[in-house]
Amino acid sequence: MKILILGDIVGRPGRNAVANQLSHLREEYKPDLVIVNGENASAGRGLTEKNAKELFELDIDVITTGNHVWDKKEILTYIESYPQLIRPANYPDPCPGKGYTIIHKGETTIGVINLSGVVYLSNLTNPFHTIDKILHEISKQCNIIILDFHAEATSEKLAMGYYCDGRISLVYGTHTHVQTADKRILNGGTGYITDIGMTGPLDGILGVDKDIIIQQMQNNRPARYDLAQGPVQINGIITEINEETGKCQSLDNFIRIIEE
Ligand SMILES: [Fe+2]
Ligand SMILES: [Fe+2]
């Protein structure tokens, strides 16, 4: 089974890029399943119901999120209605929504899990404990298991990759918005990449207007984050997973630049 995954969609430029380019990516890669990270899809912070619907209308199978999941307050009430929109599983129990979803494609059952790191991020439940708990719940029923590990520290992400090796088909990182060049298949057959990058403005800092960020770094004052203008990048990965063994057979990363 081929799976196409796109990094954090940032604001309208990112959403437009997905709307305009996904059909071309589908033609090229012929994926059976498409996953995107939507935590920044609405004005760079959070995800409105309208924007979630628009993404699902493009036949995206799963939307994962991260630390920005709650930024648009309306998600607290609508997330329960969209089982294929997931949030990090290690948020405490009173949080609405689910940390994983199970998809059926023909004879194949795919589990998609979302977890947040805890190094330089919120102090959530330990993700290594949470992944064990989830795998105990879903491993038997899934042919393929995918994890979006939304985390800051490369060490935490690599540790999760090795921790899951042989138990999960693919561990990929999101959150830093910068794609890493370390894709590989670990000894136990788990595909791994530290970060798949972002989908949104290229000529900015993680999608935000670079002058605002530079100024903020100079003066240490809070600032309103406007998105950068200009060309847009689409960052993602395409992977092939064996449905029988659940092991990763190939993993490739890509970056597309779309001039305005
Ligand atoms: Fe993000
Ligand atoms: Fe994030």
Side-chain angles (χ1 to χ4, degrees):
M1 166 165 290
K2 282 187 178 174
I3 305 174
L4 175 74
I5 307 175
L6 301 181
D8 304 24
I9 297 170
V10 179
R12 188 188 298 273
R15 296 198 313 273
N16 286 347
V18 175
N20 297 331
Q21 301 296 323
L22 187 56
S23 56
H24 302 301
L25 293 171
R26 281 186 200 275
E27 253 167 60
E28 184 175 346
Y29 294 121
K30 312 250 182 313
D32 304 292
L33 190 85
V34 177
I35 305 171
V36 301
N37 186 300
E39 71 148 7
N40 308 108
S42 300
R45 302 179 75 99
L47 179 63
T48 62
E49 184 172 14
K50 179 174 173 284
N51 292 157
K53 267 189 191 164
E54 287 164 2
L55 291 172
F56 283 127
E57 277 162 15
L58 298 169
D59 276 336
I60 285 167
D61 296 280
V62 181
I63 303 177
T64 58
T65 56
N67 57 309
H68 286 293
V69 60
W70 313 119
D71 286 1
K72 296 282 183 280
K73 296 288 168 263
E74 63 183 78
I75 200 169
L76 292 167
T77 51
Y78 83 76
I79 192 170
E80 297 279 359
S81 316
Y82 296 81
Q84 283 164 243
L85 165 59
I86 56 176
R87 47 80 173 167
N90 47 341
Y91 273 103
D93 280 344
C95 290
K98 289 240 163 5
Y100 65 83
T101 188
I102 310 278
I103 311 283
H104 302 279
K105 290 270 174 189
E107 301 285 289
T108 308
T109 303
I110 308 113
V112 183
I113 307 168
N114 197 184
L115 271 179
S116 172
V118 292
V119 178
Y120 308 126
L121 277 170
S122 294
N123 187 19
L124 304 175
T125 305
N126 185 303
F128 293 83
H129 298 171
T130 308
I131 194 69
D132 283 343
K133 194 165 160 263
I134 295 174
L135 291 181
H136 184 72
E137 283 169 34
I138 71 168
S139 281
K140 281 203 177 77
Q141 57 176 304
C142 293
N143 307 98
I144 292 173
I145 299 178
I146 309 282
L147 169 63
D148 175 348
F149 190 36
H150 195 82
E152 179 77 38
T154 51
S155 55
E156 193 182 20
K157 288 164 152 172
L158 265 166
M160 183 61 78
Y162 282 115
Y163 188 63
C164 295
D165 187 22
R167 301 194 289 162
I168 281 189
S169 313
L170 175 74
V171 176
Y172 67 94
T174 56
H175 175 68
T176 69
H177 293 201
V178 177
Q179 191 176 90
T180 55
D182 63 339
K183 60 137 200 253
R184 66 185 108 158
I185 298 173
L186 304 178
N187 290 338
T190 297
Y192 175 83
I193 179 169
T194 297
D195 207 293
I196 65 170
M198 62 170 272
T199 296
L202 169 72
D203 194 19
I205 297 172
L206 316 186
V208 176
D209 185 317
K210 57 186 180 302
D211 296 327
I212 296 173
I213 301 292
I214 292 169
Q215 231 174 55
Q216 196 184 26
M217 290 195 170
Q218 287 173 314
N219 64 29
N220 265 324
R221 289 197 299 270
R224 203 189 108 127
Y225 284 3
D226 294 323
L227 297 184
Q229 312 279 318
V232 169
Q233 58 177 329
I234 299 183
N235 293 188
I237 52 173
I238 178 80
T239 184
E240 185 154 15
I241 314 280
N242 183 309
E243 294 97 340
E244 306 297 321
T245 62
K247 293 192 190 302
C248 181
Q249 291 177 317
S250 69
L251 173 60
D252 277 305
N253 53 310
F254 61 84
I255 294 180
R256 297 286 151 81
I257 310 292
I258 303 148
E259 298 296 335
E260 272 190 312

